[in-house]
Amino acid sequence: MDELRMFLNDRDRHRPLIRKLDALIDLEPPEVDCLAGLAQTEQSWSRGDALIETGQSYDEILIIEAGWAIAYKLLADGRRQVLRILLPGDMVGLHFAVADVAQASVEALTPLSTSRFPAQNLMGIYHNLPRIGAAIAWTAAREEAILSEHLISVGRRTAIERLAHLFLELLRRLQLIDLAGQRTMALPVTQAVLADAMGLSIVHVSRTMRQLRQAGLVRMTDQQLEIQDLAGLQDVAGFEEEFLMQDGLPDKLVSRLRY
């Protein structure tokens, strides 16, 4: 196990999916090899590039290796709803194993690196490496939980609650893959993207950001967000992080999946 830890420490700089799943199930060597093998075909994207278009026929799964992206839907009049903010280690298109048409568009927010593998390969992973299959199923369940929280934000939370909740969610997700400090993180997201994610106008986002700053809760400089009062921001958001499911898979499940 010590040898595996050394292996992971060397590789995790480039493989955030390995880092994320290792935090859940304490990866074993065959599982590391499997995940590393998924990330062999890499592609680079520029900011604004379209990775996937809604309705596009597709049979591969993308892994975000570096950079940020968004998944979104456009209405007929051009209005946009951001569904997901994609971070390193996130997987795009898990449903392609059972459906071959993309349900949302994906765009690079920053320069981006991705790897890809055929969606049909998931079936072999589920059969041969059930713990990895369970961890991948966890990622899908967490995506649904995050989407549910976003729906609550758009439907019921105030503007300041929405923004505070999103910032705390992103902080915790980035911390899982060692890309954020205790209270600081990169935030390469425009106010337009925040508006489309939170169902607000750009003016409203700007006003809400000013409220958070004036309250001494956050500070934003050069696409870096510092949370100055973590407890205060959690109180404003009513933030309970259980929906992120970052404490690992349940022991009773993991024990049943031992080889």
Side-chain angles (χ1 to χ4, degrees), residues 2-246:
D2 289 341
E3 181 180 350
L4 175 61
R5 296 275 71 76
M6 291 174 63
F7 178 78
L8 284 174
N9 289 338
D10 179 63
R11 185 177 289 272
D12 67 10
R13 291 171 297 173
H14 309 290
R15 297 290 180 254
L17 178 61
I18 292 177
R19 187 165 40 201
K20 181 166 73 172
L21 297 187
D22 183 56
L24 294 175
I25 60 173
D26 195 16
L27 292 171
E28 297 175 353
E31 297 163 337
V32 174
D33 289 343
C34 172
L35 291 170
L38 292 178
Q40 295 303 308
T41 304
E42 295 198 29
Q43 184 172 356
S44 297
W45 309 82
S46 298
R47 182 176 179 271
D49 281 352
L51 283 67
I52 299 172
E53 299 281 2
T54 302
Q56 176 182 345
S57 180
Y58 213 79
D59 61 359
E60 293 184 306
I61 294 171
L62 294 179
I63 303 172
I64 307 296
E65 298 290 348
W68 290 41
I70 53 170
Y72 66 92
K73 292 289 289 284
L74 284 178
L75 300 182
D77 61 3
R79 285 176 294 166
R80 181 178 69 173
Q81 178 64 52
V82 171
L83 304 173
R84 296 175 61 197
I85 295 178
L86 298 162
L87 305 177
D90 286 346
M91 304 176 76
V92 182
L94 285 174
H95 67 282
F96 293 155
V98 292
D100 59 359
V101 175
Q103 302 300 311
S105 299
V106 178
E107 177 183 309
L109 281 183
T110 68
L112 194 71
S113 174
T114 63
S115 58
R116 64 180 66 219
F117 65 95
Q120 63 186 15
N121 288 5
L122 280 181
M123 300 308 173
I125 293 173
Y126 293 153
H127 182 265
N128 297 318
L129 296 168
R131 294 199 325 144
I132 292 294
I136 290 174
W138 165 87
T139 68
R142 187 175 79 149
E143 287 173 12
E144 182 178 350
I146 290 173
L147 187 59
S148 294
E149 287 295 326
H150 289 185
L151 178 60
I152 293 169
S153 286
V154 171
R156 289 293 180 238
R157 291 187 176 112
T158 66
I160 196 168
E161 290 169 343
R162 295 180 204 184
L163 212 52
H165 200 278
L166 180 62
F167 289 161
L168 291 165
E169 172 207 313
L170 292 173
L171 178 70
R172 292 292 290 118
R173 289 171 61 194
L174 288 165
Q175 287 173 339
L176 184 65
I177 52 174
D178 297 331
L179 290 179
Q182 288 296 315
R183 301 189 181 197
T184 59
M185 64 179 178
L187 190 67
V189 178
T190 66
Q191 290 191 353
V193 170
L194 291 175
D196 289 345
M198 295 291 93
L200 301 168
S201 69
I202 295 176
V203 171
H204 205 164
V205 169
S206 179
R207 184 185 307 127
T208 304
M209 280 293 298
R210 185 166 61 250
Q211 287 179 291
L212 289 171
R213 289 195 302 269
Q214 291 174 344
L217 297 173
V218 304
R219 178 168 58 192
M220 183 80 179
T221 56
D222 298 327
Q223 296 190 327
Q224 292 284 324
L225 183 75
E226 177 188 355
I227 298 176
Q228 297 174 288
D229 183 351
L230 183 59
L233 195 66
Q234 290 171 332
D235 286 343
V236 167
F239 188 76
E240 298 178 353
E241 65 181 57
E242 286 78 9
F243 74 98
L244 291 172
M245 299 186 289
Q246 294 189 179

